[in-house]
Amino acid sequence: MSHSQDSPRGYLTVTVAAAVTAALAAAGALALSLPVWAMFIGWIAFFTRGLTTRSTFENLGCVWLGLGIGALSALASGALAPALGVSLALPLVVFVVALVVVSLRGMPVLNNLPSYFLGLVTWFAAHLEPALESVVHLAGATTLGSIAAWVSHFIPRQVLKVA
């Protein structure tokens, strides 16, 4: 979403399209019982890199993997806490997760470090039980947000080309 549009009309078109898209995405999230805040995580992920259809999928894939890693880390923390105590188990798990996630930045694809962390933050902010259903629930919300961001970015440009 650039603010350097060629005309006031273009600026207004992009602004209104983004606002309408955000409102529709929020309504969709509510209708699907998805957390609206998590929908906006997907929106943010879209704008972390690329602004292309391909990068939309790559950024979202990193968010999804971050969600999965977050769920696995919650399981690992829970499993290690009885033996090590929370004050040792949690930092140990965070260390391993950080090693894995930061290492992924070197991958040829799915290397968007901010999107991985957006997935992790989404997981921990949601305070859900570590289960596949919880990951799918949050993945649905972030997917809705990324699609909405894609629409808010590409549709105004198409409208402005036609006009």
Side-chain angles (χ1 to χ4, degrees):
M1 229 174 277
S2 174
H3 57 61
S4 60
Q5 300 302 321
D6 294 337
S7 68
R9 180 175 170 270
Y11 190 88
L12 182 62
T13 300
V14 169
T15 302
V16 171
V20 168
T21 305
L24 291 172
L30 290 173
L32 296 169
S33 298
L34 298 172
V36 174
W37 65 268
M39 178 275 295
F40 279 113
I41 295 292
W43 189 294
I44 294 165
F46 171 82
F47 287 102
T48 61
R49 183 186 293 165
L51 303 181
T52 66
T53 301
R54 177 183 169 157
S55 64
T56 301
F57 289 109
E58 290 175 358
N59 297 343
L60 188 56
C62 292
V63 171
W64 292 344
L65 288 170
L67 289 169
I69 292 167
L72 291 173
S73 68
L75 288 170
S77 293
L80 293 172
L84 301 176
V86 174
S87 61
L88 185 56
L90 184 60
L92 178 62
V93 169
V94 168
F95 175 77
V96 172
V97 166
L99 278 176
V100 169
V101 170
V102 175
S103 294
L104 292 172
R105 78 188 187 286
M107 298 288 290
V109 294
L110 297 176
N111 57 12
N112 187 337
L113 193 55
S115 286
Y116 278 109
F117 280 107
L118 285 169
L120 287 166
V121 167
T122 301
W123 174 260
F124 287 104
H127 300 288
L128 298 174
E129 291 299 316
L132 183 58
E133 180 182 336
S134 300
V135 173
V136 169
H137 181 73
L138 293 171
T142 58
T143 300
L144 178 61
S146 286
I147 291 168
W150 182 90
V151 167
S152 78
H153 181 73
F154 285 103
I155 297 300
R157 278 139 191 85
Q158 297 306 312
V159 168
L160 291 170
K161 281 182 190 176
V162 172

